[in-house]
Amino acid sequence: MQKKPNRQFSFKRWAAPYYLSVGVFLLFLVAWEGSAWAIGKSFILPAPTQIAVRLWELRQTLLAVHLPSTVLIILVGLLLSIIGGVGLAAWMSWNKTAERAFYPLLIASQTIPIIALAPIFVLWFGYSIWSKVAVTVLISFFPITVNTFDGFNSVSKELRELLKTMGASRKDLFFKLAIPSSLPSFFSGLRVAVTLSVIGAAIGEWLGAQKGLGYFSRRMMTQFDGAGVFAPIVLLSLTGILLFVFVMIMEKSILKWRNAK
Amino acid sequence: MSSSVLQVQQVSFRYGGKEIFRDLSLAIQEREFVSIVGPSGSGKTTLFRLLLGLEKPETGGLFLGEKQVIGAGGGIAYVPQKDLLIPWRSILDNVILPLEISGLTKREAYANARPHFASFGLAGTESAYPHMLSGGMKQRVSFLRAYLTGSDVLLLDEPFSALDAISRVEMQDWLLEQWVSLKKTIILITHDLDEALLLSDRILVTSSPPMEQLAEILVPLSRPRTMDMKLGDKSLLSLKSELLQKFRHEGAKCDAEET
């Protein structure tokens, strides 16, 4: 193997693909700012600069109290979704009966409007973290399960047969073929789930919470504080982006064989 | 027939209602190089699948030495048409697969496999991934993987069909060398008559199903063989035309039955 030339990390090269979208985003902010001042009612449409100022004013309570509370819900919810989703996917791929029993239900469950269910969770779990976690799990469980299951089933028949001619057991086939080949689709499911989990946590908090970014945003709504509604939303969105980037980095480092030259 | 390493005894087999083999018997001798040629759809691959235990015969039995082949994993190594390397495993991790399955630890398997890389022309590729290698190299990896199963019988299913003409000739030469040095029994499915003639001791020709026996042609060339022999020998040319005729005849029958 030849040694790769030691390339320096260059911000310019790294950022090049994003120039265009950053430009569009900045244009959007400018247009928003302009129309916000034109309308002149900050409780209906606060300007981005007003939101930024509010975010700065509220930084203490948002970062110290509400952000950690929401992030905890997101992480617990995601963790449960991953454990449950991967477990169910593995079971369904291992056992045909389990597949026939659960797969149709899983698909059908997506027609349930989860937002409408959320108030019930408050009844069941009260104002504890679990009512919010339940919404998060319900919303992020599906993409993880379905994608991972598809991944388990993506092993080619020829490869399975080849391993069988080597005397592979079902366990060998599962650990040496099914699990590794499910990883790419697991990660694409996880990427979707991560962004959904932020939404799930926010919805959960809207409906019944004493802290959290979703709760805070809603409380500001009742006070006609437009910028205060948006400030926690900015933080929610940043949380989602950070989680997404984290999953991408994890995916790149685990599936590094794809990029080997 | 004590020296036959592989025996097919009165095997009947049906695929999707179509009778393919009827009381078919054949025997492969130890360290023999046998090619199987025949028109597409005439059951060459089915015969391999039976030998590998991936299909069960309706009646009759297949024997590897004294042992009957029951189910897959019966101890015959397989080099598939596509290389079927696992994309996320490095070359070293790909070839140790049969060793891992047989229960060796990774460390033992590595120690077992590493010394063979040089003789298979794969030195330096240990930590590469399959997509980084050429088609010919990948087939060598697939061949090394089959070799490491420790089996005495290797089944090769058109292993060079996807290669360009030049790498194919190179790989044929290489295979010939390997066969001599490894002392294995090789059964090769091929569409390439030159390939069959250059490499084998014996050529079996499949015909239109149902088959009760396979036509057999002995290749009269002495060993060791080289490319020049293949090109120069007069008797080989007549053999090739004989083979071609058999082939055409059977091909026509196959086509007629399919329509």
Side-chain angles (χ1 to χ4, degrees):
Chain A
M1 291 286 93
Q2 290 138 325
K3 235 184 161 180
K4 274 184 229 155
N6 197 6
R7 263 188 279 167
Q8 288 276 300
F9 176 78
S10 138
F11 178 77
K12 238 180 166 173
R13 188 176 315 132
W14 175 84
Y18 304 112
Y19 284 159
L20 208 58
S21 52
V22 168
V24 169
F25 181 62
L26 289 178
L27 263 179
F28 169 73
L29 284 185
V30 168
W32 180 357
E33 184 83 25
S35 29
W37 289 115
I39 292 170
K41 294 189 175 104
S42 75
F43 65 94
I44 291 178
L45 186 66
T49 44
Q50 290 172 317
I51 296 170
V53 169
R54 200 82 182 96
L55 194 56
W56 181 251
E57 288 166 1
L58 292 170
R59 65 188 185 279
Q60 204 69 52
T61 153
L62 282 180
L63 292 181
V65 180
H66 301 289
L67 179 68
S69 158
T70 305
V71 167
L72 182 68
I73 291 167
I74 292 173
L75 291 184
V76 172
L78 272 179
L79 190 71
L80 291 178
S81 287
I82 291 174
I83 294 171
V86 171
L88 180 59
W91 189 26
M92 288 194 305
S93 86
W94 184 265
N95 185 328
K96 265 273 173 257
T97 315
E99 182 191 342
R100 271 187 237 124
F102 292 113
Y103 196 75
L105 293 183
L106 194 65
I107 304 289
S109 77
Q110 285 311 291
T111 59
I112 301 172
I114 290 159
I115 301 175
L117 267 187
I120 296 274
F121 292 143
V122 179
L123 278 181
W124 292 351
F125 300 107
Y127 280 67
S128 73
I129 178 176
W130 298 109
S131 60
K132 277 76 80 182
V133 168
V135 179
T136 310
V137 168
L138 267 190
I139 213 168
S140 61
F141 179 76
F142 180 76
I144 294 179
T145 316
V146 168
N147 275 286
T148 310
F149 179 66
D150 287 346
F152 279 137
N153 286 348
S154 69
V155 183
S156 83
K157 182 175 168 243
E158 291 156 315
L159 211 45
R160 292 173 65 95
E161 288 189 340
L162 179 71
L163 259 71
K164 279 190 199 163
T165 69
M166 298 173 185
S169 61
R170 273 195 91 184
K171 202 177 113 209
D172 287 325
L173 293 177
F174 190 71
F175 283 104
K176 294 191 197 317
L177 286 183
I179 288 192
S181 59
S182 74
L183 281 178
S185 20
F186 164 74
F187 276 114
S188 54
L190 187 59
R191 267 185 313 202
V192 176
V194 151
T195 43
L196 288 179
S197 70
V198 175
I199 299 174
I203 294 174
E205 287 173 347
W206 263 15
L207 293 161
Q210 284 148 331
K211 54 184 176 179
L213 294 171
Y215 154 79
F216 190 84
S217 173
R218 192 170 146 91
R219 199 178 82 189
M220 292 297 108
M221 185 87 91
T222 60
Q223 301 176 4
F224 291 101
D225 181 352
V229 171
F230 275 91
I233 291 177
V234 170
L235 283 185
L236 277 171
S237 159
L238 283 177
T239 309
I241 293 172
L242 276 180
L243 282 169
F244 187 88
V245 169
F246 176 70
V247 171
M248 290 239 292
I249 291 171
M250 213 159 68
E251 182 178 354
K252 274 231 166 84
S253 72
I254 289 177
L255 302 177
K256 57 177 181 290
W257 59 270
R258 280 177 168 181
N259 305 311
K261 293 245 160 53
Chain B
M1 294 218 290
S2 56
S3 70
S4 65
V5 63
L6 198 60
Q7 280 189 64
V8 176
Q9 284 178 3
Q10 297 183 308
V11 161
S12 300
F13 182 74
R14 236 175 249 280
Y15 188 77
K18 187 180 172 192
E19 194 175 17
I20 296 180
F21 301 120
R22 183 188 293 159
D23 285 341
L24 178 78
S25 294
L26 57 94
I28 310 286
Q29 310 305 313
E30 210 177 332
R31 294 196 199 168
E32 199 177 11
F33 198 127
V34 177
S35 289
I36 299 177
V37 300
S40 318
S42 64
K44 301 186 294 288
T45 301
T46 309
L47 182 59
F48 265 27
R49 293 180 63 83
L50 282 163
L51 289 170
L52 289 167
L54 292 171
E55 306 282 358
K56 262 194 214 114
E58 238 165 75
T59 59
L62 300 107
F63 295 88
L64 178 67
E66 304 288 301
K67 209 178 75 195
Q68 185 163 9
V69 177
I70 303 165
I76 298 178
Y78 180 44
V79 179
Q81 187 169 1
K82 291 182 248 165
D83 47 73
L84 293 185
L85 300 179
I86 296 179
W88 59 84
R89 283 183 167 232
S90 70
I91 298 303
L92 185 59
D93 282 327
N94 258 288
V95 299
I96 64 162
L97 207 55
L99 300 172
E100 269 185 79
I101 288 172
S102 75
L104 260 60
T105 64
K106 274 213 162 174
R107 180 193 269 265
E108 292 166 333
Y110 286 153
N112 244 319
R114 277 184 199 279
H116 297 289
F117 271 73
S119 61
F120 276 74
L122 290 169
T125 64
E126 288 88 340
S127 56
Y129 287 98
H131 68 263
M132 298 152 76
L133 301 189
S134 68
M137 290 286 256
K138 280 193 260 191
Q139 276 303 352
R140 283 179 206 222
V141 177
S142 174
F143 195 78
L144 173 55
R145 178 178 58 188
Y147 170 71
L148 287 174
T149 60
S151 168
D152 289 327
V153 183
L154 304 181
L155 302 190
L156 280 58
D157 188 356
E158 292 191 57
F160 310 138
S161 60
L163 304 181
D164 61 84
I166 296 186
S167 353
R168 184 186 304 193
V169 170
E170 275 173 16
M171 287 298 287
Q172 287 164 353
D173 269 345
W174 176 81
L175 179 60
L176 212 48
E177 281 169 33
Q178 296 301 315
W179 174 68
V180 172
S181 63
L182 299 178
K183 302 186 169 66
K184 300 277 185 192
T185 308
I186 291 185
I187 308 175
L188 170 79
I189 288 180
T190 179
H191 273 120
D192 182 341
L193 298 183
D194 288 328
E195 184 171 288
L197 287 165
L198 169 71
L199 298 173
S200 10
D201 301 309
R202 194 151 59 106
I203 301 175
L204 299 174
V205 186
T206 56
S207 53
S208 55
M211 279 170 270
E212 292 177 44
Q213 58 179 34
L214 305 183
E216 181 181 291
I217 289 176
L218 293 172
V219 181
L221 290 182
S222 59
R223 304 265 183 198
R225 295 182 188 168
T226 62
M227 275 327 250
D228 308 332
M229 275 167 102
K230 183 178 83 171
L231 298 171
D233 200 295
K234 282 264 164 57
S235 65
L236 209 58
L237 276 177
S238 66
L239 204 59
K240 188 179 169 185
S241 71
E242 183 192 334
L243 206 55
L244 211 55
Q245 244 164 15
K246 264 201 176 97
F247 212 78
R248 273 209 195 121
H249 182 61
E250 292 301 342
K253 269 208 279 186
C254 271
D255 287 344
E257 269 182 25
E258 263 167 34
T259 48

